[in-house]
Amino acid sequence: MSNLGRRSVLLGMGALAGSVAVPVQAKDQDDKENKKEANLPDRPDSPRKSKLTEAQWNGKPWIAEKQGNFDLNDRRDNQLATFKITNNLIGKKSYIVMFSRALLGPQGTGGSALYGHMGFWTWQLQVPTKEEFPDAPDGTIVQRAMYTGMILDPITYEPVDTIYNQYLDKNVKPVDSLFAESYLFYPEGGTNSVDRANFIQDDPELKKKLRPTLRWGDDIATFLDGIFQSEGPHQPRMDNSIWTSNYADVMNPGVGLVKTDYNFAGIMRAWARPWIGIGKDDDAQVLWNVKGTKMHSADDFPDLVRDNLVAKYPDRV
């Protein structure tokens, strides 16, 4: 994407964030009817798998030889510290449990909350097999990831069967978020989304860069760009996450599981979620704000998540 294009996305994000409290302006009836009849495309990154295979789910856990005392200016140590913050280095599954609110921002009008959301990532670092990844260099790590999510009312945060789309002035039927993918992390840097070939971070200069990890006081925070900054039919889209843990725990080799606070923000075209009902010819965007926490047992999930998502999809924990 050009510098001008990136700047436009950033400006759009700021404008959307500043307008969310303003009611959506009414559109004329003809415009509404046109949007209702628009041909809705698949998601830009579809088709996506809904779950991992049994072999992937039961792959050999990866355990790091170095568990602490990381030199954050060393590429591999920086990677290990990031894994300890976002996941763990002792082979257990990690769950990133989160709640969020999605804001709909039509171009040139005010925005508003469209829906709430709850979900969890199921993550595990594993040893890549030669059968699945014959070209992976020694020291490569594969991360298995499954996401499970459910739409909520944007005000009450209760599970719902329909969401009112103020922009289209009609109810739409939400769809649960169920997808899975694998990522390769290379020992010399670089990341490959195995299931989406158009999202590969293999630029030689990018591989040389350390992930920005900052410490202040008792905290250490890792700032991670998402994989959607690359060019493609999904643009304009971008996302960013911040992971915050206790610095002493991250550096302590004797602490295998560190507590982590997760914050995420993202922006995308509304048509990328077909159930919202907005066609590809519309420039409306969706902005997310997400709050999450890393856990290592479904028993610790909030009641709302455990009683709804886990009860509905018990095989994903």
Side-chain angles (χ1 to χ4, degrees), residues 194-315:
V194 176
D195 301 289
R196 288 178 286 171
N198 54 323
F199 296 131
I200 300 176
Q201 297 177 343
D202 60 356
D203 181 87
E205 294 303 314
L206 180 62
K207 290 181 179 180
K208 298 177 183 177
K209 296 180 179 179
L210 298 172
R211 295 185 184 277
T213 302
L214 305 176
R215 179 195 178 188
W216 65 91
D218 295 332
D219 289 336
I220 183 171
T222 295
F223 297 79
L224 301 180
D225 286 332
I227 61 176
F228 296 107
Q229 275 76 328
S230 59
E231 295 190 24
H234 56 288
Q235 291 297 355
R237 181 168 182 174
M238 60 190 303
D239 58 281
N240 183 77
S241 59
I242 304 173
W243 306 72
T244 307
S245 297
N246 179 270
Y247 178 83
D249 287 344
V250 172
M251 289 297 176
N252 187 345
V255 178
L257 303 176
V258 299
K259 296 180 180 179
T260 300
D261 182 70
Y262 169 79
N263 290 277
F264 172 93
I267 190 170
M268 67 181 290
R269 290 278 294 279
W271 65 261
R273 293 290 183 269
W275 67 263
I276 293 177
I278 294 177
K280 192 172 183 179
D281 59 337
D282 195 300
D283 290 334
Q285 295 175 310
V286 175
L287 170 69
W288 287 285
N289 286 306
V290 182
K291 169 66 178 71
T293 301
K294 185 179 68 170
M295 299 177 176
H296 295 95
S297 171
D299 293 338
D300 297 327
F301 286 11
D303 290 345
L304 188 62
V305 176
R306 190 175 59 249
D307 295 344
N308 291 277
L309 268 180
V310 177
K312 189 175 183 180
Y313 303 106
D315 59 329

Side-chain angles (χ1 to χ4, degrees), residues 15-312:
L16 178 58
S19 68
V20 294
V22 183
V24 175
Q25 296 177 5
K27 306 279 285 180
D28 61 76
Q29 189 62 32
D30 289 341
D31 193 27
K32 288 179 183 176
E33 293 301 323
N34 288 339
K35 295 184 191 309
K36 289 178 184 177
E37 296 172 0
N39 292 323
L40 300 180
D42 292 332
R43 291 182 54 168
D45 49 354
S46 66
R48 299 181 75 179
K49 299 185 302 185
S50 64
K51 62 188 300 182
L52 298 173
T53 67
E54 184 176 352
Q56 292 169 334
W57 181 248
N58 297 316
K60 180 181 179 181
W62 178 83
I63 300 175
E65 293 183 5
K66 188 172 185 178
Q67 299 281 337
N69 296 320
F70 306 112
D71 177 0
L72 298 178
N73 292 315
D74 176 85
R75 188 177 303 148
R76 187 62 166 183
D77 274 20
N78 184 284
Q79 185 183 64
L80 292 176
T82 299
F83 282 146
K84 190 170 182 178
I85 293 169
T86 61
N87 204 310
N88 67 84
L89 303 178
I90 62 174
K92 289 184 65 67
K93 286 186 172 67
S94 291
Y95 305 102
I96 316 301
V97 184
M98 64 194 73
F99 292 91
S100 61
R101 176 173 283 163
L103 312 173
L104 180 63
Q107 295 297 311
T109 72
S112 62
L114 180 62
Y115 59 86
H117 197 266
M118 65 175 169
F120 63 90
W121 280 104
T122 305
W123 282 1
Q124 188 182 43
L125 300 176
Q126 295 180 356
V127 178
T129 65
K130 289 298 181 181
E131 291 76 16
E132 187 176 5
F133 305 107
D135 299 325
D138 291 342
T140 298
I141 304 163
V142 59
Q143 176 171 289
R144 304 300 189 182
M146 284 202 302
Y147 186 77
T148 311
M150 181 180 290
I151 304 301
L152 306 174
D153 181 276
I155 306 302
T156 66
Y157 269 64
E158 297 176 350
V160 290
D161 294 326
T162 61
I163 288 290
Y164 177 62
N165 184 325
Q166 304 96 323
Y167 182 47
L168 300 180
D169 190 24
K170 69 173 186 178
N171 288 326
V172 294
K173 186 173 180 60
V175 176
D176 290 349
S177 301
L178 301 173
F179 55 85
E181 52 198 329
S182 301
Y183 301 90
L184 289 178
F185 293 87
Y186 301 110
E188 298 303 319
T191 305
N192 179 359
S193 174
V194 176
D195 301 289
R196 288 178 286 171
N198 54 323
F199 296 131
I200 300 176
Q201 297 177 343
D202 60 356
D203 181 87
E205 294 303 314
L206 180 62
K207 290 181 179 180
K208 298 177 183 177
K209 296 180 179 179
L210 298 172
R211 295 185 184 277
T213 302
L214 305 176
R215 179 195 178 188
W216 65 91
D218 295 332
D219 289 336
I220 183 171
T222 295
F223 297 79
L224 301 180
D225 286 332
I227 61 176
F228 296 107
Q229 275 76 328
S230 59
E231 295 190 24
H234 56 288
Q235 291 297 355
R237 181 168 182 174
M238 60 190 303
D239 58 281
N240 183 77
S241 59
I242 304 173
W243 306 72
T244 307
S245 297
N246 179 270
Y247 178 83
D249 287 344
V250 172
M251 289 297 176
N252 187 345
V255 178
L257 303 176
V258 299
K259 296 180 180 179
T260 300
D261 182 70
Y262 169 79
N263 290 277
F264 172 93
I267 190 170
M268 67 181 290
R269 290 278 294 279
W271 65 261
R273 293 290 183 269
W275 67 263
I276 293 177
I278 294 177
K280 192 172 183 179
D281 59 337
D282 195 300
D283 290 334
Q285 295 175 310
V286 175
L287 170 69
W288 287 285
N289 286 306
V290 182
K291 169 66 178 71
T293 301
K294 185 179 68 170
M295 299 177 176
H296 295 95
S297 171
D299 293 338
D300 297 327
F301 286 11
D303 290 345
L304 188 62
V305 176
R306 190 175 59 249
D307 295 344
N308 291 277
L309 268 180
V310 177
K312 189 175 183 180

